[in-house]
Amino acid sequence: MRVLHFYKTYYPDSWGGVEQAIRQICMGTSRLGIINEVLTLTATDGPARMEIDGVVVHRVRQDIEIASNAMSLASIGALARLAGTADVVHYHFPWPFGDLAHFLARVKKPSVVTYHSDIVRQKALLKLYSPLMHRFLADVDGIVATSPNYFASSDVLRRYGKKVRAIPFGLDRSTYPQPTPERLAHWRAEVGERFFLFVGVLRYYKGLHILLDAMARCEYPVVIVGAGPIENELKEHAQRLGLAHVRFVGAVDEHDKAALLTLCYAMAFPSHLRSEAFGISLLEGAMYGKPMISSEIGTGTSYINIDGDTGLVVPPSDPAAFGNAMRTLWEDPALAAAMGQRAGERYRALFTNEKMAADYAELYCEVAKSSR
């Protein structure tokens, strides 16, 4: 079986959660004999065809981007051509231009879409886009919600309930590098032996202003890994609050990330809007056996992190509650360790790459057979 993934960004141009999800789906299903290819847009120079992790990635030039909606006329022809040799086309939502390209390319192959998130921020544009969105979702053969929680709380997904199934993301621990003693020693010297860790792109919905406001009331060490569009704004906010115990270390490579995940005391994940549909880096914390603090936003974050079991879940946009949760874990190492152990157990039971890949392979076979 051949599967073509279509999304606006992919490695090496971007390293976000959706890209990580596509990568993990491709690697996992490839082990089951599925041949994956990725069609993506690029705003940079580089080869039109690459091989990454054994997957062929086709890159077409991006023409314009409006309100995070990247567009490319060349991608329409490329989608039509590559879909012709695929058994299943796998889209990733939200991406309005991707919906449009599906129809302009006249894709008639069996198709599925992973519904990564509702559209939360661009309310005015959503009204214009809504007819196309619903036509697209009605046309595809299968829709994947990334958690039962998101399916239950999304008005859009409930409208298509009969063809929606929940397939949580899964991670392959073996693809994460084992940090060397030298690298671990380096980070111990940089950030200490005991700290809360955040990993992610620094975007508006990550709620890092909430974490910073919480840290104005307590002095636990916090390490923030990542770069992004509001990085300078967050650093200025931390400086105004005098947060010398909060370290912004920028984007790091996979070896450094693995070292920090190994060393950290707990994960701090303050995302406060439904744009955070799942939380790949939160799942990474669970995979490393770390207790977690997150906010209840009705999405997959509360499928990964179970309040009182694998960590603590607090109301969104509540710095005092977030700070109190940090205090609870910090002052009770035995509780934190027990929660971290249960987080690791939950990862192994529900969120492995093998389980996710098997579920997607089953879905691909179902839609391919039903469309014949």
Side-chain angles (χ1 to χ4, degrees):
M1 178 175 287
R2 304 181 71 93
V3 175
L4 173 66
H5 295 261
F6 185 41
Y7 189 59
K8 61 183 178 180
T9 51
Y10 196 62
Y11 302 120
D13 296 322
S14 183
W15 197 260
V18 176
E19 295 91 334
Q20 171 77 321
I22 297 170
R23 175 176 176 251
Q24 290 284 337
I25 293 168
C26 288
M27 288 193 300
T29 57
S30 293
R31 298 189 189 102
L32 301 177
I34 292 171
I35 300 170
N36 292 279
E37 294 186 67
V38 176
L39 172 60
T40 188
L41 279 52
T42 180
T44 64
D45 294 328
R49 185 181 186 277
M50 305 174 68
E51 186 170 314
I52 303 173
D53 299 319
V55 174
V56 174
V57 179
H58 304 270
R59 304 162 82 229
V60 295
R61 190 74 183 182
Q62 174 183 308
D63 295 322
I64 192 172
E65 181 175 349
I66 301 173
S68 300
N69 185 33
M71 293 175 270
S72 165
L73 288 175
S75 71
I76 297 169
L79 176 60
R81 174 175 55 84
L82 293 169
T85 60
D87 297 299
V88 174
V89 179
H90 189 156
Y91 299 99
H92 295 267
F93 179 100
W95 181 28
F97 178 78
D99 303 7
L100 181 63
H102 167 76
F103 293 109
L104 293 178
R106 299 181 181 181
V107 175
K108 301 301 180 185
K109 292 296 181 75
S111 55
V112 301
V113 58
T114 297
Y115 190 98
H116 292 271
S117 171
D118 292 333
I119 294 176
V120 177
R121 195 179 196 185
Q122 290 125 345
K123 299 291 187 183
L125 291 176
L126 177 58
K127 291 180 181 179
L128 295 173
Y129 165 53
S130 187
L132 172 62
M133 176 184 75
H134 286 296
R135 185 183 172 196
F136 171 70
L137 293 174
D139 197 61
V140 296
D141 300 291
I143 301 172
V144 175
T146 56
S147 71
N149 301 45
Y150 211 88
F151 181 26
S153 63
S154 170
D155 292 337
V156 173
L157 285 177
R158 286 200 302 271
R159 180 169 172 172
Y160 300 95
K162 290 185 178 180
K163 61 177 174 181
V164 177
R165 70 176 64 186
I167 302 179
F169 293 135
L171 299 177
D172 183 352
R173 177 66 187 266
S174 70
T175 64
Y176 286 69
Q178 180 65 37
T180 63
E182 293 77 15
R183 198 171 296 250
L184 291 170
H186 164 78
W187 282 111
R188 282 194 190 97
E190 285 288 318
V191 298
E193 292 276 359
R194 196 171 180 232
F195 56 91
F196 289 95
L197 178 66
F198 169 87
V199 179
V201 179
L202 307 188
R203 302 188 190 279
Y204 70 97
Y205 61 81
K206 295 293 184 179
L208 284 163
H209 61 288
I210 301 162
L211 176 59
L212 296 179
D213 287 344
M215 298 318 298
R217 299 175 174 89
C218 47
E219 296 187 355
Y220 310 126
V222 173
V223 176
I224 295 175
V225 172
I230 64 168
E231 182 175 356
N232 290 334
E233 177 184 327
L234 290 169
K235 288 179 177 178
E236 290 169 3
H237 188 49
Q239 188 173 19
R240 283 195 301 271
L241 294 173
L243 303 182
H245 50 297
V246 175
R247 288 283 305 276
F248 289 86
V249 299
V252 301
D253 65 20
E254 290 296 290
H255 293 271
D256 286 324
K257 184 175 78 170
L260 289 164
L261 284 165
T262 299
L263 292 173
C264 75
Y265 183 71
M267 299 296 291
F269 199 79
S271 295
H272 64 305
L273 297 174
R274 286 180 56 79
S275 300
E276 189 68 81
F278 190 76
I280 292 289
S281 61
L282 189 67
L283 182 57
E284 288 176 328
M287 182 175 70
Y288 275 78
K290 305 298 180 177
M292 298 165 279
I293 303 171
S294 57
S295 298
E296 181 52 75
I297 51 177
T299 73
T301 62
S302 294
Y303 189 61
I304 300 168
N305 185 24
I306 306 301
D307 186 36
D309 184 46
T310 61
L312 299 172
V313 179
V314 302
S317 301
D318 190 336
F322 206 93
N324 288 337
M326 296 175 78
R327 182 176 296 107
T328 297
L329 291 185
W330 190 264
E331 295 180 356
D332 195 340
L335 174 67
M339 287 180 166
Q341 181 177 346
R342 291 192 292 269
E345 292 168 354
R346 186 168 176 81
Y347 155 74
R348 289 186 289 275
L350 298 175
F351 300 112
T352 62
N353 181 273
E354 290 81 2
K355 185 178 188 309
M356 177 187 68
D359 289 345
Y360 268 109
E362 181 181 357
L363 175 61
Y364 294 154
C365 289
E366 286 181 13
V367 299
K369 288 178 183 177
S370 65
S371 299
R372 288 174 183 168

